[in-house]
Amino acid sequence: MDTTVKSQAPTGSGTASGLQPFLHDACVVLAAPAVALSRPAGAMRSGADGFFRGDRRFLSRLVADVEGVPLAPVRTGHSDASTAAFRTVLRGVGEQTADPAVTLRHTRTVHADGLRESFEFHNAGPLDVTVPLALSLDADFAAMDDVKAGRRAAPPGVRRADDALRWHWQEWESRLTSTPAPDSVDDEGGTAVRAHYRLTLPPGGRARVDLDCAAVDRDGFPFAPAPTRRVPWSRPRLRVPDHRFPRLLDRSLDDLAGLLLTDPEHPQDTFLAAGAPWFLTLFGRDALWAARMLLPLGTDLAAGTLRTLARRQGTRDIPATEEQPGKILHEVRRTSQLLDEGTTLPPLYYGTVDAGPLWVALLHDAWRWGLAETEVEALLPHAERVLAWMAEHGDADGDGLLEYVDSTGKGLANQGWKDSGDSMRWRSGRLAVAPVALSEVQAYAHEAAVGGAALLRAFGRPDADRWEEWAARLRDRFRDRFWLDDARGPYCAAALDGQKRPLDTDTSSHGHLLGTGLLTEEESGLLARRLASPELDCGFGLRTLETGATGFNPLGYHIGSVWPHDTAIAVHGLARAGFPDEADSLVRGLLAASETFDARLPELFAGHGSGVDTGPAPYPAACRPQAWAAASSVHLLRALLGLEADVPGGTLRVADSVAESWRPLRAEGLSVAGHALSVAVDVGGGVRAETAAPVSAASRRG
């Protein structure tokens, strides 16, 4: 007989209403679009804890107890992104000496459609032991945006069948299968239950309980899981004196595999979800940057990302979603997202100013790294539409610069990568009023116009001259509008406000301008010195905002924190512009930070700096893993090696020197034009590249 009860609110259970749950000490296990979060010892109790699939929570409570026995967690470890193991000692059970006798190894495995929790007890002592295991379980079907915001929404109707561990609400069902079946199941109040097991362990014996959670989703998530055990990139092997670098690279690639999703109608096209748990879906900007950073490992991910976004390219003017002809989207969700009282994003949302230029830049770079000409040519009409959008919609006021404004009053107030509402400000702390023209977006647009022109000319399409001239005019307007002076000399404004006044703050955005062709050599040097200053370089990476600005906050999302991808972009830009020492300092800073985070760099972390802390403090609500943070490890390697491919032009460039502290170095398993690439640097500094690709490996950076 079925019983129907009302659950408590489908939200971050145990979290104060309106407070975002913290994640800094969470154990995160994932296989997109599924993710499990728990306490470090494995229990799912409160806040953001639980098993989610497609932004819906299918298990909100999982706590293992041995009745009457104190449990002592001793270790948590990951074998890869989808598996974690927790080891616990049962204090005083079966012991005849001070040595522990009975232990529990709790293993969690997430797959794209469900979750397996295995509890294996081992008795290493000389006595017979009986273990009274109890599992406390519940499912609340909370939406991810409610969990993230700490909201307590209206309670849903939830049914639990008496003959199974099963919950459902609307289109969702959570089915738990236990092997062996529990000896008994008790109600714990609301929809929670407590399953009891009595396990007997002789000396040397083992006993195991497996719990499988199947997430039944009749509503349908917009994207599908990627094929298991197949990733669209090569696996590099790095040998270098600093052991932190290979460890960061290996862990990052494991995490990236867990973030892969596919376009359901075109399963050959994979892309990277932005991050777990909050952003486990398609974000245009994030997916493009991550794919761009991974180009030295192959072009398949770039191709899948480009095609997935091209299928959803804007075709009409729809103010409610900010769609415009040619525009590349910001994000895709199952349902609308209520971010706060004033911000509501529709499921398909186009509120971004930079995804379009980044799309064209990725297509151009993928072509140079060897993406097949047929694949490039098929995407050129989409590139032409993005370029047209840049000139007609991105530059809405016709001043030759790209700017944004939230036309709905309900969307994102800031629509660059620093999209928090307080990110655009003067040194005085006063916030900028839209429309806002970001410095880095002008650099992306310049790259898109120049790269787009190169593509059009190479494939015999018209308007190459038009876009080169457009880029030249953009350079002139940027130089005229964005440069200003302070006591330290000339520098570049972070943005222009709605009255075209330059924001006078130093920010990490300087790094996005370097190596893009927007700046002269002298201008690049001025910004390189700013990036190397202690106001921005905190010793663990780049602060997003200078320390001298009013409102600087080391734990501010975009106003003082450090974002690994942001630092990696600056590293690459500094290396391309000819400032290896400044780049090297930032590389070492991120490697130092990686030790604090067990080689799993988070979305962002605090910007207090190495002068204050021996390791960076976490930003408590940051995603970890995050696609572009993980992909940054490859971008750092590319910058260190000076890798620049031009397969159509028949050249592969490598650095003419690598700092002595990195020697000897060997990177194998890279890829260019579908062929293996290795780069070696000997103790004396000699650089050698080897590949079977149709390019010259002898070219050096000048």
Side-chain angles (χ1 to χ4, degrees):
M1 179 178 177
D2 292 342
T3 58
T4 300
V5 296
K6 292 287 186 180
S7 80
Q8 297 300 313
T11 182
S13 138
T15 301
S17 181
L19 294 180
Q20 183 176 356
F22 284 172
L23 306 175
H24 61 284
D25 61 345
C27 175
V28 181
V29 186
L30 77 153
V35 61
L37 290 91
S38 73
R39 300 301 83 216
M44 299 176 182
R45 296 181 184 274
S46 62
D49 289 357
F51 170 63
F52 298 80
R53 188 184 188 280
D55 283 348
R56 185 67 57 171
R57 183 157 60 187
F58 286 85
L59 193 64
S60 55
R61 183 171 179 81
L62 170 63
V63 179
D65 294 311
V66 178
E67 296 173 352
V69 176
L71 302 181
V74 293
R75 187 181 186 276
T76 298
H78 286 77
S79 56
D80 56 30
S82 65
T83 306
F86 315 92
R87 192 172 293 279
T88 300
V89 173
L90 279 62
R91 297 296 307 275
V93 177
E95 297 174 3
Q96 284 192 325
T97 69
D99 296 336
V102 180
T103 56
L104 164 63
R105 188 172 191 268
H106 171 194
T107 304
R108 172 170 297 140
T109 304
V110 173
H111 53 87
D113 297 311
L115 168 74
R116 165 162 279 204
E117 303 279 341
S118 296
F119 302 89
E120 184 176 32
F121 294 87
H122 177 217
N123 179 12
L127 305 176
D128 290 330
V129 169
T130 298
V131 175
L133 172 67
L135 300 179
S136 181
L137 306 161
D138 202 358
D140 67 359
F141 303 104
M144 183 65 81
D145 60 335
D146 283 334
V147 174
K148 185 174 188 287
R151 284 191 295 266
R152 296 192 175 277
V158 179
R159 178 181 66 83
R160 178 175 61 81
D162 284 346
D163 60 350
L165 300 172
R166 187 188 313 159
W167 295 258
H168 82 172
W169 180 56
Q170 294 185 359
E171 297 86 3
W172 303 288
E173 185 172 358
S174 182
R175 299 174 183 168
L176 269 65
T177 303
S178 176
T179 307
D183 297 312
S184 63
V185 179
D186 301 331
D187 287 327
E188 282 200 311
T191 57
V193 299
R194 191 170 177 87
H196 298 272
Y197 306 81
R198 194 167 181 83
L199 308 173
T200 301
L201 287 78
R206 297 178 186 270
R208 175 169 169 162
V209 172
D210 289 331
L211 191 69
D212 290 285
C213 177
V216 181
D217 184 353
R218 300 179 183 89
D219 179 54
F221 186 64
F223 302 106
T228 57
R229 302 189 181 282
R230 184 167 67 86
V231 295
W233 55 73
S234 64
R235 182 82 184 206
R237 298 170 300 282
L238 177 63
R239 285 179 286 175
V240 67
D242 192 329
H243 69 280
R244 299 173 299 182
F245 208 156
R247 185 166 180 253
L248 173 63
L249 188 62
D250 289 342
R251 182 65 185 272
S252 297
L253 292 170
D254 284 343
D255 282 339
L256 289 168
L259 290 167
L260 276 171
L261 288 171
T262 67
D263 196 338
E265 296 181 9
H266 301 270
Q268 77 280 5
D269 287 338
T270 55
F271 63 91
L272 286 166
W278 312 131
F279 310 122
L280 206 55
T281 185
L282 175 63
F283 278 71
R285 175 192 306 118
D286 299 57
L288 289 162
W289 262 123
R292 196 177 187 189
M293 290 177 172
L294 293 180
L295 280 173
L297 309 186
T299 59
D300 287 350
L301 179 67
T305 302
L306 290 164
R307 287 193 288 261
T308 298
L309 289 167
R311 295 184 190 105
R312 294 160 178 81
Q313 188 174 22
T315 58
R316 301 168 294 170
D317 275 298
I318 305 179
T321 64
E322 302 209 48
E323 180 180 351
Q324 294 168 335
K327 197 173 186 181
I328 300 298
L329 61 83
H330 175 262
E331 70 178 288
V332 180
R333 296 281 189 171
R334 181 200 301 266
T335 60
S336 294
Q337 299 288 296
L338 177 59
L339 303 186
D340 55 44
E341 292 182 0
T343 304
T344 303
L345 305 186
L348 186 61
Y349 181 57
Y350 286 82
T352 171
V353 71
D354 52 5
L358 289 170
W359 190 97
V360 178
L362 176 60
L363 178 62
H364 171 262
D365 288 1
W367 170 58
R368 287 173 62 92
W369 276 90
L371 182 61
E373 290 192 352
T374 53
E375 296 184 63
V376 175
E377 192 165 21
L379 291 168
L380 288 179
H382 297 280
E384 291 169 324
R385 290 196 280 274
V386 171
L387 293 170
W389 172 83
M390 283 169 34
E392 297 166 16
H393 297 278
D395 179 17
D397 60 6
D399 70 343
L401 302 170
L402 270 65
E403 51 269 314
Y404 62 80
V405 62
D406 170 31
S407 61
T408 69
K410 297 180 179 179
L412 295 174
N414 286 314
Q415 298 185 357
W417 83 263
K418 296 177 182 176
D419 56 6
S420 53
D422 63 352
S423 63
M424 293 298 109
R425 57 176 60 217
W426 274 267
R427 277 186 183 148
S428 66
R430 183 162 51 95
L431 299 184
V433 177
V436 172
L438 298 171
S439 63
E440 68 266 28
V441 169
Q442 314 316 312
Y444 305 157
H446 180 270
E447 279 194 298
V450 172
L455 285 165
L456 296 176
R457 184 171 289 115
F459 286 86
R461 299 176 78 96
D463 290 334
D465 290 345
R466 173 194 173 191
W467 292 111
E468 286 179 338
E469 293 165 2
W470 189 91
R473 291 194 298 272
L474 174 61
R475 281 197 304 275
D476 291 340
R477 288 187 175 94
F478 184 86
R479 188 160 292 115
D480 180 57
R481 301 283 184 85
F482 275 81
W483 282 88
L484 65 167
D485 288 270
D486 67 6
R488 291 187 288 161
Y491 69 109
C492 180
L496 306 181
D497 75 349
Q499 297 181 38
K500 304 300 180 184
R501 296 174 300 184
L503 273 64
D504 58 353
T505 44
D506 267 329
T507 73
S508 61
S509 296
H510 295 332
H512 294 237
L513 312 183
L514 296 170
T516 65
L518 186 66
L519 306 176
T520 65
E521 183 176 347
E522 180 183 1
E523 291 166 343
S524 296
L526 292 169
L527 294 190
R529 285 193 287 276
R530 296 271 175 163
L531 291 170
S533 71
E535 288 78 20
L536 288 176
D537 184 351
C538 77
F540 299 122
L542 277 180
R543 297 183 176 101
T544 42
L545 181 67
E546 60 174 317
T547 56
T550 300
F552 164 75
N553 179 359
L555 284 170
Y557 200 58
H558 293 123
I559 53 172
S561 61
V562 175
W563 290 63
H565 89 281
D566 184 36
T567 298
I569 290 169
V571 166
H572 184 242
L574 285 163
R576 291 179 74 182
F579 300 95
D581 292 340
E582 292 83 351
D584 191 63
S585 172
L586 293 175
V587 173
R588 295 188 183 282
L590 279 185
L591 290 179
S594 74
E595 288 192 298
T596 297
F597 299 109
D598 195 28
R600 190 183 227 185
L601 285 172
E603 174 189 13
L604 70 157
F605 51 82
H608 297 98
S610 58
V612 177
D613 295 328
T614 56
Y619 180 86
C623 287
R624 184 166 169 254
Q626 181 89 349
W628 57 12
S632 294
S633 61
V634 179
H635 213 43
L636 296 177
L637 179 60
R638 176 183 175 182
L640 183 65
L641 298 177
L643 284 176
E644 300 291 342
D646 182 6
V647 171
T651 61
L652 173 69
R653 293 173 135 191
V654 294
D656 54 9
S657 65
V658 172
E660 185 177 355
S661 58
W662 295 109
R663 309 175 204 156
L665 179 153
R666 185 168 183 84
E668 299 174 326
L670 303 170
S671 178
V672 60
H675 296 271
L677 166 67
S678 65
V679 180
V681 184
D682 61 32
V683 174
V687 182
R688 185 178 72 258
E690 300 171 353
T691 179
V695 296
S696 169
S699 298
R700 299 285 180 87
R701 289 178 63 89

